[in-house]
Amino acid sequence: MLMPVLQVNSEDIPEYVIVCGDPSRAEIISRKLDDARELAFSREYRTFVGTYEGVKLAVTSHGVGSPGAAVCFEELIRAGATTLIRVGTAGSYRADTPAGSLVVSTAAARTDGLTKQLVPDGFPAVADSMVAEALYESALSLGEGIVRKGITVTLDAFFAGVEEFPHQKFKAAGALGVEMEISALYIVAALRGVRAGAIVAMDGFADADLAAEYDPNTNVVADAIEREINAALKAVVKLAK
């Protein structure tokens, strides 16, 4: 069956899928797979399949923001995916988690608009515990850089408007950082009965007290993205066993 938005056939989608925002990052991840081939590139959604240490998996880009990403997650699940892992970037709330650090999101605060249309207020966006632990253990096993796990925040607005987002409140409550798609992933996964987890590389500070000039294109961030990709791949193998 053809997925109308992703433009992939369900028979080509395996149980394990790594998702990321950037189509070019999907290609980078695919280079680590054996027998990789591109299935489709439709809008922001680019999909590859291959194997890693004998485990068949797909890699699909979902673009920026929860609504478009949720379309991707829904179609992957309808095509047969049962475990989805997001590999992305986020802004840090903590001085001890600077750019280049990795964070495994155990849950996401739902400040996005999409999930409010899917589930009631108060319904949590939570990672699958086995997926989160596999990501955390795999990231630690790489033996490089700072690795943390905890709550992240999902919002919609990348640039500030006249309304001020309450970053300080979420920081005070213990959130580690902020990004734009994880709550959508966790809510869609919960609704459809599949597993999901996420690991993000910190690419700067979202906290105004720590803010510096935003530059996600540094070597430090690139190295962190490389590590999180390797951690996600190792986690897939761990989960498959």
Side-chain angles (χ1 to χ4, degrees):
M1 182 171 62
L2 180 69
M3 297 298 107
V5 178
L6 298 185
Q7 289 291 296
V8 297
N9 289 304
S10 57
E11 56 265 31
D12 292 326
I13 300 300
E15 294 183 40
Y16 295 93
V17 183
I18 292 176
V19 293
C20 60
D22 187 350
S24 64
R25 187 173 299 157
E27 181 182 16
I28 290 169
I29 298 171
S30 76
R31 294 176 195 158
K32 295 179 177 290
L33 307 182
D34 295 323
D35 302 317
R37 62 189 177 96
E38 186 170 356
L39 296 181
F41 195 163
S42 172
R43 301 189 183 192
E44 65 265 47
Y45 310 111
R46 191 175 189 182
T47 302
F48 297 84
V49 290
T51 61
Y52 185 80
E53 295 187 10
V55 179
K56 187 175 181 180
L57 70 145
V59 183
T60 302
S61 60
H62 55 64
V64 177
S66 289
V71 174
C72 174
F73 307 149
E74 291 276 12
E75 287 205 346
L76 287 170
I77 293 166
R78 292 180 187 187
T82 59
T83 301
L84 287 79
I85 295 175
R86 168 161 151 70
V87 172
T89 56
S92 175
Y93 281 154
R94 295 172 45 152
D96 62 359
T97 313
S101 304
L102 299 182
V103 168
V104 174
S105 173
T106 56
R110 295 171 41 221
T111 72
D112 64 286
L114 170 89
T115 61
K116 291 179 174 63
Q117 298 182 12
L118 298 180
V119 294
D121 288 344
F123 189 90
V126 183
D128 178 87
S129 59
M130 291 182 65
V131 176
E133 198 58 31
L135 284 168
Y136 185 63
E137 290 175 357
S138 296
L140 286 176
S141 73
L142 298 175
E144 299 176 59
I146 296 168
V147 180
R148 305 198 188 283
K149 62 178 175 178
I151 296 169
T152 55
V153 177
T154 299
L155 50 61
D156 287 335
F158 189 87
F159 295 103
V162 295
E163 295 292 336
E164 185 175 348
F165 186 81
H167 290 292
Q168 291 299 323
K169 290 183 179 179
F170 285 103
K171 174 187 174 183
L176 299 181
V178 59
E179 54 78 70
M180 301 181 72
E181 296 89 17
I182 292 176
S183 66
L185 174 61
Y186 291 174
I187 292 299
V188 169
L191 286 172
R192 310 309 172 205
V194 303
R195 302 189 299 183
I199 183 169
V200 287
M202 298 293 104
D203 63 4
F205 288 113
D207 179 1
D209 293 338
L210 301 171
E213 183 176 350
Y214 177 67
D215 183 3
N217 301 308
T218 64
N219 290 336
V220 168
V221 174
D223 289 345
I225 291 171
E226 175 74 9
R227 294 199 311 275
E228 69 173 348
I229 290 169
N230 291 335
L233 290 168
K234 288 170 67 72
V236 166
V237 174
K238 190 184 295 283
L239 291 163
K241 292 180 180 179

